Coordinates of all heavy atoms in Angstrom, one line a residue:
A12 N -24.0 35.3 -10.8 CA -23.5 36.1 -11.9 C -22.1 35.8 -12.2 O -21.7 35.8 -13.4 CB -23.7 37.6 -11.5
E13 N -21.3 35.7 -11.2 CA -19.8 35.4 -11.4 C -19.6 34.1 -12.1 O -18.7 34.0 -13.0 CB -19.1 35.3 -10.0 CG -17.6 35.1 -10.1 CD -17.0 35.1 -8.7 OE1 -17.5 35.6 -7.7 OE2 -15.9 34.4 -8.6
L14 N -20.5 33.1 -11.9 CA -20.4 31.8 -12.5 C -21.1 31.7 -13.8 O -21.0 30.7 -14.6 CB -20.9 30.7 -11.6 CG -20.0 30.5 -10.3 CD1 -20.8 29.6 -9.3 CD2 -18.7 29.9 -10.6
G15 N -21.9 32.7 -14.1 CA -22.7 32.7 -15.3 C -23.8 31.7 -15.3 O -24.2 31.1 -16.3
V16 N -24.5 31.5 -14.1 CA -25.6 30.6 -14.0 C -26.8 31.2 -13.4 O -26.7 32.3 -12.8 CB -25.1 29.3 -13.2 CG1 -24.0 28.6 -13.8 CG2 -24.8 29.7 -11.7
T17 N -27.9 30.5 -13.4 CA -29.1 30.9 -12.7 C -29.3 29.9 -11.6 O -29.3 28.7 -11.8 CB -30.3 31.0 -13.6 OG1 -30.1 32.0 -14.6 CG2 -31.6 31.3 -12.8
V18 N -29.4 30.4 -10.4 CA -29.6 29.5 -9.2 C -31.1 29.3 -8.8 O -31.7 30.4 -8.6 CB -28.8 30.0 -8.0 CG1 -29.0 29.1 -6.8 CG2 -27.3 30.0 -8.3
K19 N -31.5 28.1 -8.8 CA -32.9 27.9 -8.3 C -32.9 28.1 -6.8 O -31.9 27.7 -6.1 CB -33.3 26.4 -8.6 CG -33.5 26.2 -10.1 CD -34.0 24.8 -10.3 CE -34.3 24.5 -11.8 NZ -34.8 23.2 -12.1
C20 N -34.0 28.7 -6.3 CA -34.0 29.1 -4.9 C -35.4 28.7 -4.3 O -36.4 28.8 -5.0 CB -33.8 30.6 -4.7 SG -32.2 31.2 -5.3
H21 N -35.4 28.5 -3.0 CA -36.7 28.4 -2.2 C -36.6 29.5 -1.2 O -35.6 29.7 -0.4 CB -36.8 27.1 -1.5 CG -37.2 26.0 -2.4 ND1 -37.8 24.8 -2.0 CD2 -37.2 25.9 -3.8 CE1 -38.0 24.0 -3.0 NE2 -37.7 24.6 -4.1
L22 N -37.6 30.3 -1.1 CA -37.7 31.4 -0.1 C -38.1 30.8 1.2 O -38.9 29.9 1.3 CB -38.8 32.4 -0.5 CG -38.8 33.7 0.3 CD1 -37.7 34.7 -0.3 CD2 -40.1 34.4 0.2
K23 N -37.4 31.3 2.3 CA -37.7 30.8 3.6 C -38.4 31.9 4.4 O -38.0 33.0 4.5 CB -36.4 30.4 4.3 CG -36.5 30.0 5.8 CD -37.2 28.6 5.9 CE -37.3 28.1 7.3 NZ -36.0 27.9 8.0
I24 N -39.5 31.5 5.1 CA -40.3 32.3 5.9 C -40.1 31.9 7.4 O -40.3 30.7 7.7 CB -41.8 32.3 5.6 CG1 -42.0 32.7 4.1 CG2 -42.6 33.3 6.5 CD1 -41.6 34.0 3.7
D25 N -39.8 32.8 8.3 CA -39.7 32.5 9.7 C -41.0 32.7 10.4 O -41.4 33.9 10.6 CB -38.6 33.4 10.3 CG -38.4 33.1 11.8 OD1 -39.0 32.2 12.3 OD2 -37.5 33.8 12.4
T26 N -41.7 31.6 10.8 CA -43.0 31.8 11.4 C -42.8 31.5 12.9 O -43.9 31.3 13.6 CB -44.0 30.7 10.8 OG1 -43.4 29.4 10.9 CG2 -44.3 31.1 9.4
G27 N -41.6 31.5 13.5 CA -41.5 31.4 14.9 C -40.3 30.6 15.4 O -40.1 30.6 16.6
L28 N -39.5 30.1 14.5 CA -38.3 29.3 15.0 C -37.2 30.2 15.3 O -36.4 29.9 16.2 CB -37.9 28.3 13.9 CG -36.8 27.3 14.3 CD1 -37.2 26.5 15.5 CD2 -36.5 26.4 13.1
G29 N -37.1 31.4 14.7 CA -36.1 32.4 15.0 C -34.7 32.1 14.4 O -33.7 32.7 14.9
R30 N -34.6 31.3 13.4 CA -33.3 31.1 12.7 C -33.4 31.7 11.4 O -33.4 33.0 11.2 CB -33.0 29.6 12.6 CG -32.9 28.9 14.0 CD -32.3 27.5 14.0 NE -33.0 26.6 13.0 CZ -33.0 25.3 13.1 NH1 -32.4 24.7 14.1 NH2 -33.6 24.6 12.2
Y31 N -33.3 31.0 10.3 CA -33.3 31.5 8.9 C -34.8 31.9 8.5 O -35.7 31.4 9.0 CB -32.9 30.5 7.9 CG -31.5 29.9 8.3 CD1 -31.4 28.5 8.5 CD2 -30.4 30.6 8.3 CE1 -30.2 27.9 8.8 CE2 -29.1 30.1 8.6 CZ -29.0 28.7 8.9 OH -27.8 28.2 9.1
G32 N -34.8 32.9 7.7 CA -36.1 33.3 7.1 C -36.5 34.7 7.3 O -36.2 35.4 8.3
F33 N -37.4 35.2 6.3 CA -38.0 36.5 6.4 C -39.1 36.4 7.5 O -39.9 35.5 7.4 CB -38.5 36.9 5.1 CG -37.5 37.2 4.0 CD1 -37.0 36.3 3.2 CD2 -37.0 38.5 3.9 CE1 -36.1 36.5 2.2 CE2 -36.0 38.8 2.9 CZ -35.6 37.8 2.1
M34 N -39.1 37.4 8.3 CA -40.3 37.6 9.2 C -41.5 37.9 8.4 O -41.4 38.6 7.3 CB -40.0 38.7 10.2 CG -38.8 38.5 11.1 SD -39.0 37.1 12.3 CE -40.1 38.0 13.5
P35 N -42.7 37.5 8.8 CA -43.9 37.9 8.1 C -44.0 39.4 7.8 O -44.6 39.9 6.8 CB -45.0 37.4 8.9 CG -44.4 36.2 9.6 CD -43.0 36.6 9.9
S36 N -43.5 40.2 8.7 CA -43.5 41.7 8.6 C -42.5 42.2 7.5 O -42.5 43.4 7.2 CB -43.2 42.3 9.9 OG -41.9 42.0 10.4
E37 N -41.7 41.3 7.0 CA -40.7 41.6 6.0 C -41.0 41.2 4.6 O -40.2 41.0 3.8 CB -39.3 41.0 6.4 CG -38.8 41.5 7.7 CD -37.5 40.8 8.2 OE1 -37.4 39.6 7.9 OE2 -36.6 41.5 8.7

């Protein structure tokens, strides 16, 4: 928003590595 752009994104799901990502319960 500050830069006036739209950022493309990939959603990350955490299936057991325990680092980045939404838990399946989230």
